[in-house]
Amino acid sequence: TFLCASTACSTNMTLSPPPNETEQTAYCHRTQHDDSSGEILDSHSPSPEDSSSSPVASHTLQKRKLPPWVADQNEEWGERVSLPEWDADEKISFDENDDSDDDFRYDNDDYRQSNGWKGSDLCHSATSPVRISHYAIKYIDINGGVGTKLTGVAHFTPRAESHSGYCHGGSMTSVMDDVIGWTSFCVSGKCVPWSGFTAQVNVSLKRPIPVGSYLKIVGEIIKTEGRKVWISSCLVCGNDDNLVYCTAEGLAILKK
């Protein structure tokens, strides 16, 4: 069982990796640059002329190249979590050479507005500073419960920057909050979106995250009691689960 140890409300963060870890850290980061062309992907902020309803602007923000480890590991993560608002801008195929717009399951980017939301999702939209995608859920029991694990990808874009070249600690905390909440939604053995609320998130920041990084995010249910669900979560290098950037312990409360 993959558990992420954490210390409550602690921050152990430096502005640069320890010298003996520099090469390993660099290997684990896929920056916003396309290795084959040098093109910067998913890195610009919309200009005043851009519009959320503009197909051209939207497609530019969607276009990004996921690191190879996502396709290599995704099937092991379990069943993909599918929502209309995610499927509208989350590329389904892992074929990096496939730029077809048909690769998006839905064309309707007005899903949130037509269902009562006032804006875009903090962590799951094409314009999110830190963009979470490709969540997949794995159950060890048909009824869910302890051991249920949610895994996904977190892309830390230039819009999440704080110290020069590094991402804001708040962006890491947002990722922990998100995975804790969504893991709790799956406690019953099926994903029931918005079936509860995050009540507590105790975060430990382990190492800084360079702008443009793609990291793996994992949440796992470790205890349940009535409507309370406790989750352990972590943010790790996609190629090495032992290279940890952030951990958290959280509590979610399910709706009555």
Side-chain angles (χ1 to χ4, degrees), residues 37-108:
S37 67
E39 176 189 5
I40 295 178
L41 301 179
D42 197 16
S43 62
H44 78 278
S45 298
S47 67
E49 291 76 19
D50 287 338
S51 167
S52 59
S53 61
S54 168
V56 175
S58 178
H59 181 73
T60 301
L61 286 166
Q62 288 170 346
K63 185 176 176 60
R64 57 178 179 159
K65 181 171 287 189
L66 293 170
W69 57 262
V70 180
D72 293 342
Q73 300 177 25
N74 189 252
E75 289 188 5
E76 303 172 4
W77 297 350
E79 180 182 354
R80 182 178 179 274
V81 178
S82 177
L83 286 180
E85 60 176 303
W86 297 353
D87 295 338
D89 75 356
E90 184 174 306
K91 192 172 174 65
I92 307 303
S93 171
F94 291 111
D95 182 359
E96 295 181 348
N97 297 314
D98 181 7
D99 291 327
S100 171
D101 288 334
D102 294 336
D103 235 356
F104 300 94
R105 194 168 292 178
Y106 291 90
D107 293 325
N108 180 15

Side-chain angles (χ1 to χ4, degrees), residues 1-252:
T1 302
F2 185 85
L3 295 178
C4 308
S6 172
T7 55
C9 296
S10 63
T11 302
N12 305 308
M13 190 170 182
T14 58
L15 293 182
S16 60
N20 63 340
E21 294 182 352
T22 302
E23 291 185 4
Q24 184 180 13
T25 302
Y27 171 73
C28 289
H29 292 309
R30 281 294 296 258
T31 68
Q32 69 269 31
H33 291 83
D34 180 327
D35 292 337
S36 61
S37 67
E39 176 189 5
I40 295 178
L41 301 179
D42 197 16
S43 62
H44 78 278
S45 298
S47 67
E49 291 76 19
D50 287 338
S51 167
S52 59
S53 61
S54 168
V56 175
S58 178
H59 181 73
T60 301
L61 286 166
Q62 288 170 346
K63 185 176 176 60
R64 57 178 179 159
K65 181 171 287 189
L66 293 170
W69 57 262
V70 180
D72 293 342
Q73 300 177 25
N74 189 252
E75 289 188 5
E76 303 172 4
W77 297 350
E79 180 182 354
R80 182 178 179 274
V81 178
S82 177
L83 286 180
E85 60 176 303
W86 297 353
D87 295 338
D89 75 356
E90 184 174 306
K91 192 172 174 65
I92 307 303
S93 171
F94 291 111
D95 182 359
E96 295 181 348
N97 297 314
D98 181 7
D99 291 327
S100 171
D101 288 334
D102 294 336
D103 235 356
F104 300 94
R105 194 168 292 178
Y106 291 90
D107 293 325
N108 180 15
D109 19 326
D110 296 325
Y111 174 83
R112 289 179 66 86
Q113 285 72 18
S114 60
N115 284 275
W117 278 278
K118 305 302 182 183
S120 60
D121 192 293
L122 176 66
C123 295
H124 291 273
S125 75
T127 57
S128 296
V130 54
R131 183 181 177 188
I132 297 173
S133 65
H134 296 86
Y135 267 156
I137 188 72
K138 178 179 282 188
Y139 303 101
I140 62 172
D141 185 278
I142 191 172
N143 296 314
V146 173
T148 297
K149 185 189 296 184
L150 184 70
T151 307
V153 181
H155 178 205
F156 289 81
T157 78
R159 292 180 291 279
E161 188 173 35
S162 179
H163 287 279
S164 179
Y166 292 98
C167 294
H168 197 290
S171 66
M172 301 161 73
T173 303
S174 294
V175 169
M176 295 291 97
D177 185 0
D178 192 83
V179 74
I180 285 169
W182 278 97
T183 303
S184 74
F185 297 163
C186 302
V187 67
S188 66
K190 63 178 180 179
C191 185
V192 183
W194 318 115
S195 55
F197 305 90
T198 305
Q200 185 175 5
V201 181
N202 299 323
V203 181
S204 180
L205 307 181
K206 301 295 187 181
R207 68 182 73 235
I209 298 177
V211 166
S213 297
Y214 287 86
L215 298 176
K216 180 165 63 176
I217 179 174
V218 182
E220 182 171 345
I221 295 175
I222 57 174
K223 179 183 175 182
T224 64
E225 183 181 300
R227 294 190 295 119
K228 297 180 179 180
V229 184
W230 284 266
I231 298 98
S232 179
S233 63
C234 58
L235 193 62
V236 301
C237 171
N239 298 308
D240 182 1
D241 288 349
N242 294 314
L243 191 55
V244 181
Y245 290 83
C246 180
T247 63
E249 301 292 326
L251 170 65

